[in-house]
Amino acid sequence: MLKLKEGLKEGGRVVAGGWLASKRVQGDIAFLVLFESGKELQVTIKGDNKRLLEKAEKIREHSSLIVEGTIHLTEKAPRGYEIYPTKIRIVSPAKKIPPFHVYGGNLPSIDKRLDIRAVDLRRVKAMAIFKLRHLLLKSCREFLSKRGFIEVQTSKIISSATEGGAALFPIMYYDKEAFLAQSPQLYKEQLIMAFEKVFEIGPIFRAEPFRTLRHLSEAFSLDVEQAFVDYREIMDLLEELVKYVLTEIANEGKEELKDLRYELEIPEGPIPRITYDQAIEILQGKGIEVNWGDDLGTKELEVLGSEMNGYYFITDWPLSLKPFYIMPKGRLSESFDLMYKDLELSSGGTRIHRKSLLVKRLKEQGLKPKGFDYHLRVFDYGMPPHAGFGLGIDRFMMVITGVNNIREVVLYPRDVRRLIP
Ligand code: AMO
């Protein structure tokens, strides 16, 4: 909270509320650094103010304070000004000291920090990560809105699976069994019938039984769907989106990237595109035992990632590896994954828009078309050709911030062992 009663001018009266990040008492002068609205604000107590100096010595870091005083303009302070206080109220004293420092140093395990996540988020690096996350979402919205997409929200309580490989979380829905949505896939496809171009930013739920550094039970994805385009045009759109948001973040998130000591990589020129067949050839050339039709696992992606470096697409996957809604192309499919080194960031493709083919593909995948009645019935009303992608926001954040554990970029991560806070 900051109230500049007479604007920002020398001697102007000010009231500020924040929490104490650090305190330095040097003889007869004390510097308090408050965080106000996530940014540093310096409060300087001078020697002639004995009463406040004594009070400052007793305040524990993390306590919430309200400071009243006057403005002194100085380039030496973080905001170009400091406060000379006349009154400091400790509105909520900190009773405990967290096991980490706000400005850096050794960190306890992420599990210890997550137990008091709200306090962990007061660390400068954690704050930087979530400000960048905000910028990422803001620039995705900007980019897609400028292109005529509208943002939609679809239900997260569903009756049937969409993503074959990923397990569902069952829930009780009154007296019926229902599931948490693995993806807004079928809804976003339906919505292009009316709106042509839609996107959604929301949670996807995957019952991932293993604890890895890149999987969560609740992840966030940017889902995009567009009518009258195919997977190549959608790849172009995704490529432009990636470059746009990275450029925005590099410009608007300079301070935060500096806090993270991280150099953002913006791909120059076109993002390379290799087919699945080429990926297999590269891997076999490197002596990896992999056969055509195999999915690319951790080991394969590590080798491919070190070969390709940076961002690249893998296109035209075998049909057998893709969900039922992806358009076949002989034994291949009109599909792609966007990778960063060995990390899959996004997947997408052209969708099937003919009902008979969709029913055939459901059956081929051992799924019962009856369970998809609610979806199939709208295909009788002139479903246009369409394509889209899902981009993992948390995974993209790992690349943007350079962290190697996905839990660092999610406020309240959920995994096989964690359901709190
Ligand atoms: P897919 O299952 O590949 O595709 O998911 C899309 C992207 O979401 C991210 N992701 C995850 N991130 C963290 N933890 C998880 N458990 C997790 N699961 C997925 C990945 C992935 O690339 N319906 C399709 C998308 C489409 O075709 O439009 C889908 O869900 O970054």
Side-chain angles (χ1 to χ4, degrees):
M1 177 269 286
L2 182 70
K3 287 183 190 152
L4 296 166
K5 299 206 165 164
E6 288 118 39
L8 185 57
K9 66 167 198 188
E10 183 67 31
R13 283 178 305 142
V14 58
V15 184
W19 58 275
L20 183 65
S22 76
K23 163 177 93 169
R24 201 154 41 96
V25 184
Q26 287 175 333
D28 61 355
I29 189 159
F31 299 98
L32 309 185
V33 177
L34 296 193
F35 266 86
E36 182 277 320
S37 297
K39 290 201 192 86
E40 290 176 325
L41 174 62
Q42 185 170 306
V43 179
T44 307
I45 310 168
K46 298 213 272 187
D48 51 359
N49 204 334
K50 285 260 163 344
R51 189 180 48 82
L52 281 188
L53 266 182
E54 278 171 27
K55 189 166 191 177
E57 280 194 48
K58 292 191 198 117
I59 310 174
R60 271 209 176 131
E61 281 163 9
H62 286 274
S63 299
S64 283
L65 313 177
I66 294 181
V67 177
E68 287 178 41
T70 53
I71 295 284
H72 172 59
L73 300 173
T74 165
E75 283 311 314
K76 285 188 202 141
R79 297 189 185 200
Y81 67 90
E82 60 191 347
I83 298 178
Y84 289 160
T86 48
K87 199 168 157 190
I88 297 179
R89 271 200 298 142
I90 308 169
V91 284
S92 182
K95 300 208 173 71
K96 291 184 178 172
I97 303 286
F100 43 78
H101 200 278
V102 165
Y103 287 101
N106 287 340
L107 280 182
S109 73
I110 182 136
D111 274 315
K112 282 218 169 66
R113 287 186 284 117
L114 286 175
D115 285 342
I116 45 166
R117 184 54 151 167
V119 187
D120 179 49
L121 295 172
R122 284 180 160 179
R123 287 184 305 110
V124 168
K125 283 194 174 180
M127 268 194 270
I129 287 175
F130 289 95
K131 287 183 198 164
L132 292 175
R133 191 172 168 118
H134 166 72
L135 274 182
L136 167 62
L137 296 177
K138 178 170 157 268
S139 47
C140 287
R141 288 192 163 102
E142 259 166 26
F143 176 84
L144 291 165
S145 306
K146 278 187 206 157
R147 299 295 182 101
F149 284 78
I150 70 159
E151 185 166 0
V152 297
Q153 288 86 35
T154 63
S155 179
K156 301 303 155 208
I157 306 174
I158 54 161
S159 65
S160 54
T162 56
E163 309 306 316
L168 289 160
F169 281 111
I171 54 163
M172 275 315 292
Y173 189 67
Y174 305 106
D175 58 346
K176 283 198 198 72
E177 186 180 53
F179 305 96
L180 295 179
Q182 296 164 308
S183 157
Q185 182 63 38
L186 305 186
Y187 294 123
K188 65 175 176 171
E189 285 191 52
Q190 296 189 9
L191 291 173
I192 57 89
M193 290 185 79
F195 301 111
E196 193 162 326
K197 297 175 180 182
V198 296
F199 75 97
E200 173 162 8
I201 296 173
I204 56 173
F205 300 94
R206 312 267 169 118
E208 303 280 359
F210 309 108
R211 216 162 173 257
T212 81
L213 295 177
R214 43 183 64 175
H215 289 89
L216 290 172
S217 316
E218 180 184 27
F220 290 84
S221 81
L222 164 65
D223 272 273
V224 169
E225 202 68 26
Q226 182 173 354
F228 302 107
V229 290
D230 66 9
Y231 74 130
R232 295 196 183 281
E233 289 158 288
I234 272 297
M235 263 192 287
D236 293 343
L237 181 80
L238 174 56
E239 177 163 347
E240 280 175 55
L241 176 126
V242 164
K243 288 177 179 166
Y244 176 88
V245 301
L246 291 175
T247 309
E248 285 296 295
I249 289 170
N251 290 335
E252 280 194 55
K254 277 198 186 78
E255 288 298 313
E256 288 73 24
L257 290 166
K258 209 158 83 195
D259 287 340
L260 292 173
R261 290 178 201 91
Y262 191 65
E263 189 96 31
L264 192 65
E265 183 188 326
I266 305 177
E268 277 174 27
I271 294 179
R273 295 178 186 190
I274 58 166
T275 61
Y276 170 88
D277 285 15
Q278 287 169 324
I280 294 292
E281 262 171 45
I282 293 173
L283 289 168
Q284 287 173 343
K286 289 268 152 198
I288 303 293
E289 272 185 40
V290 60
N291 296 315
W292 194 94
D294 290 348
D295 204 353
L296 305 182
T298 313
K299 190 178 75 197
E300 289 79 24
L301 291 178
E302 265 171 22
V303 173
L304 200 58
S306 60
E307 201 60 18
M308 297 302 297
N309 216 6
Y311 294 88
Y312 60 100
F313 285 99
I314 307 173
T315 70
D316 302 89
W317 289 75
L319 186 60
S320 56
L321 294 177
K322 286 290 162 185
F324 66 85
Y325 50 79
I326 290 283
M327 182 70 91
K329 185 179 166 184
R331 63 175 189 161
L332 302 175
S333 64
E334 296 199 5
S335 61
F336 62 86
D337 280 4
L338 173 66
M339 307 290 302
Y340 179 80
K341 296 183 181 165
D342 62 342
L343 185 65
E344 179 201 315
L345 296 180
S346 171
S347 62
T350 313
R351 324 303 190 179
I352 296 171
H353 62 279
R354 261 195 306 120
K355 185 174 169 181
S356 53
L357 182 55
L358 198 53
V359 170
K360 179 169 169 265
R361 289 293 299 140
L362 277 166
K363 286 185 187 155
E364 280 170 8
Q365 296 219 347
L367 296 163
K368 291 198 182 79
K370 197 149 186 34
F372 293 86
D373 253 359
Y374 70 95
H375 182 56
L376 292 168
R377 71 170 72 112
V378 303
F379 282 65
D380 289 333
Y381 298 85
M383 171 66 82
H386 57 285
F389 64 82
L391 170 69
I393 291 294
D394 318 307
R395 297 246 181 115
F396 198 16
M397 274 302 297
M398 291 172 75
V399 177
I400 289 167
T401 58
V403 304
N404 72 349
N405 189 338
I406 195 166
R407 290 161 188 77
E408 300 283 3
V409 300
V410 175
L411 288 171
Y412 296 105
R414 292 288 180 259
D415 62 38
V416 68
R417 291 217 299 261
R418 183 168 280 279
L419 190 54
I420 55 154

